[in-house]
Structures are given as structure tokens and as C-alpha cells.
DNA sequence: ATAGATAATTATAATAATTCTAAATCCAAA
DNA sequence: TTTGGATTTAGAATTATTATAATTATCTAT
């Protein structure tokens, strides 16, 4: 897959900011994440990346995902004891995980709610990251319920 | 450690509800969690449990923690890629993890804020569980900052 | 362009947390 | 008590991830 110039620029700038090199692999892994926004695991990314770049290794996929996360281009998403998933949506959002369908949805959150959450912290604490994960049943899986 | 009658009763009732047997090991693991409310990992629990019950195995600790979670007596707490931690605080609360001191704190949340979060879900979705984890720096680690 | 220095990739081994398996033990009910 | 099913135990297996060491790619300064 070809990375759109807009994203290519964003990638190069983000890497330059931390003194990292733009490589084919980093570009490719980023494009894989942008192409299908379904919160793939590292293994999923590896499988998709190999379609266009058969020589890429799993270790490199992990390295690229780590680099992209550290550069702020993607986010890691964790559910209970499951493998980490990756997501290029940078807005403040939560995740909804339907265990029935296996689907993961982004849930956009207002600034207001984020601020209320931060306000619940004791004085002096600063949050660098807030992870919010819902587990449940999505609308589709409720229809035709038994 | 001896489980207070109040907790022993709670344990027995919760296990009976799901047809599970009250065993020495389950009782002991539960008491370990109630004794020190610091969100131990399974390994931590194993180490503490062995002090009074040297023959308990790690597999049993995992089994008991799973059983207690399934019976609703304790909760599992997950941070990024770290081992699962366990917590007998059953109120609706979030967790704050200070990566500097390694400390984990319970952050009590109002019903209001929980309801606002649930209201952010698309229609038809029902949440069976909400995980909220803050990563950051606690007050103590901000003092004497460099 | 080219050479040297450094960073990144690759294949594979290692690790860490958790789960599985099979045998032994325990408990509850007949 | 015997019997059947649940539980525990020890150790092997699994899964996701990280570390290692050799090779290759990229950058910088000539």
C-alpha cells in the first residue's frame, strides 16, 4: 500500500522529532493501520504487512508498532488479558469490546467527561494517559436475543 | 490468616451461588487479598499465601483468583502489558498507576460520572464492565521534582 | 557519489505470565 | 464407607512479547 502524502509527511515529521529514521517498514506498518481501522493485534498487522512486503519480520512489526506509538502516531489498546491492539485514531476516545461478536468500537468522549474524570484524581496527581475500556454486548448482538 | 466470620460467610454464599465448593485454599487466597489492599499480582499472592500454607501451588493461586473473580468477590485490574492484579474493593472505582513509585491507588468514582460514561455508548450497547486506568505521576512523586 | 558511523531489520532464542494436563486428593452425598 | 465429581498439585505447554547478534539500510560528511 502507498501512504498518502499527507500521512507520509506526518510520519516523517513525527520520526524526525525524536531522531528516528523513516524506513520502508515503518511506513508500511503505518499504512496497514490506516487502511483498515479495526484494531488489529501485532499478529494481524504482521499478516497484512506481509501481503505487500513478504520479507518483513514479526520482530520488525513489533518494533515499528513500538516506534509509531512512541512517536504519538498510533495508540495501543489493551483488553483484559488479550494481546495488545493498535489504533491510529488519536482523538480522546474509549473502546467498546463486544465479546460476542469480537468487534471493537471507538467511543468518542467529550472534553467535559475527560475533565470530570481528571477531576476525580487526588490533588497533585497528574494523568499522562487515561485508558477506558467497556466490555459488553453491542446492539447487533442484542437483536434476536435468545 | 484467619478469615473474619463476616468474610467467611460472604465467601461461602458467593461460592454456593455458583455451585462451587468452599476450600481451604480459596479461603486463604481470599484472606491474603483482604489483608493487604495493595493490588498484588498472582505471584505476589502466591508468595504471601505460602507463608501460612507452604504447600499451595501457583496453579491453585491462579485457579482461586479466577474463581473469586467469577464469583464477584474480587476484581481483576489490568495495566498496559503488565501482569494482572487483584483487588477486593467492589465499589465502582478507577485505578491510578504511578509509574515512578509503582504505587496503585483506587480512585472512587461517582455514579454520575459512571452514568455519563455509559451514556456515551451507542444505543443498544450494554456495558457489563468498565475499566478505567490512569497512568501518571502521583502527588508524592511531583514533590521535589527535578 | 562514497565511506564510515549509526540505526534498523532479520531470524531466532529467551522470557514472562498464564493456561493446560493428568494424576492424586479431597469433599459431599448415598 | 464407598463413589463420583470437584479441586489441587506439579510440571509441561502456550502465547505474547522482548532480547540477541549478525546483516543490511540509512545518514552525514567528505
Amino acid at each position: 500500500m502507498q501512504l498518502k502524502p499527507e500521512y507520509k509527511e506526518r510520519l516523517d515529521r513525527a520520526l524526525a522529532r525524536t531522531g528516528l529514521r523513516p524506513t520502508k517498514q515503518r511506513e508500511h506498518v503505518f499504512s496497514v493501520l490506516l487502511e483498515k481501522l479495526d484494531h488489529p493485534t501485532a499478529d494481524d498487522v504482521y499478516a497484512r504487512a506481509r501481503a505487500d512486503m513478504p520479507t518483513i519480520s514479526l520482530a520488525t512489526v513489533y518494533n515499528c508498532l513500538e516506534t509509531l506509538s512512541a512517536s504519538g502516531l498510533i495508540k495501543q489498546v489493551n483488553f483484559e488479558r488479550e494481546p495488545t491492539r493498535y489504533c491510529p485514531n488519536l482523538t480522546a476516545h474509549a473502546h467498546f469490546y463486544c465479546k460476542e461478536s469480537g468487534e471493537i468500537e471507538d467511543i468518542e468522549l467529550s472534553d467535559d467527561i475527560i475533565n470530570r474524570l481528571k477531576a476525580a484524581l487526588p490533588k497533585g496527581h497528574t494523568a499522562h494517559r487515561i485508558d477506558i475500556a467497556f466490555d459488553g454486548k453491542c446492539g447487533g448482538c442484542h437483536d434476536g436475543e435468545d
Side-chain angles (χ1 to χ4, degrees), chain A:
Chain A
M1 249 300 106
Q2 196 46 41
L3 206 51
K4 281 192 203 145
E6 169 198 354
Y7 289 110
K8 170 68 175 140
E9 242 178 70
R10 199 138 76 71
L11 172 63
D12 288 351
R13 253 197 307 257
L15 292 174
R17 222 178 290 133
T18 24
L20 299 165
R21 296 176 180 172
T23 65
K24 282 191 214 327
Q25 288 87 346
R26 284 172 179 165
E27 191 172 327
H28 187 51
V29 166
F30 191 32
S31 83
V32 162
L33 286 171
L34 290 168
E35 202 178 324
K36 197 172 171 202
L37 306 169
D38 63 346
H39 307 87
T41 64
D43 258 328
D44 295 335
V45 174
Y46 180 44
R48 293 178 198 175
R50 272 196 298 185
D52 290 300
M53 186 183 275
T55 59
I56 196 170
S57 76
L58 179 57
T60 297
V61 168
Y62 271 103
N63 289 341
C64 291
L65 291 169
E66 179 54 38
T67 301
L68 294 172
S69 303
S71 309
L73 293 163
I74 65 174
K75 287 181 175 184
Q76 303 185 186
V77 182
N78 291 284
F79 291 99
E80 303 215 24
R81 290 174 190 166
E82 304 219 342
T84 300
R85 293 162 179 281
Y86 300 86
C87 160
N89 175 354
L90 299 176
T91 65
H93 67 280
H95 291 98
F96 185 93
Y97 182 36
C98 175
K99 279 197 171 148
E100 203 149 319
S101 65
E103 223 172 295
I104 292 165
E105 271 177 80
D106 287 358
I107 307 291
E108 300 301 329
L109 295 178
S110 65
D111 290 347
D112 176 58
I113 216 164
I114 299 285
N115 289 331
R116 279 172 196 266
L117 280 168
K118 286 186 180 161
L121 293 177
K123 252 194 257 315
H125 287 47
T126 51
H128 152 261
R129 174 190 164 116
I130 310 181
D131 262 359
I132 303 173
F134 295 90
D135 264 19
K137 223 173 185 181
C138 70
C141 289
H142 272 301
D143 300 342
E145 203 134 20
D146 35 56

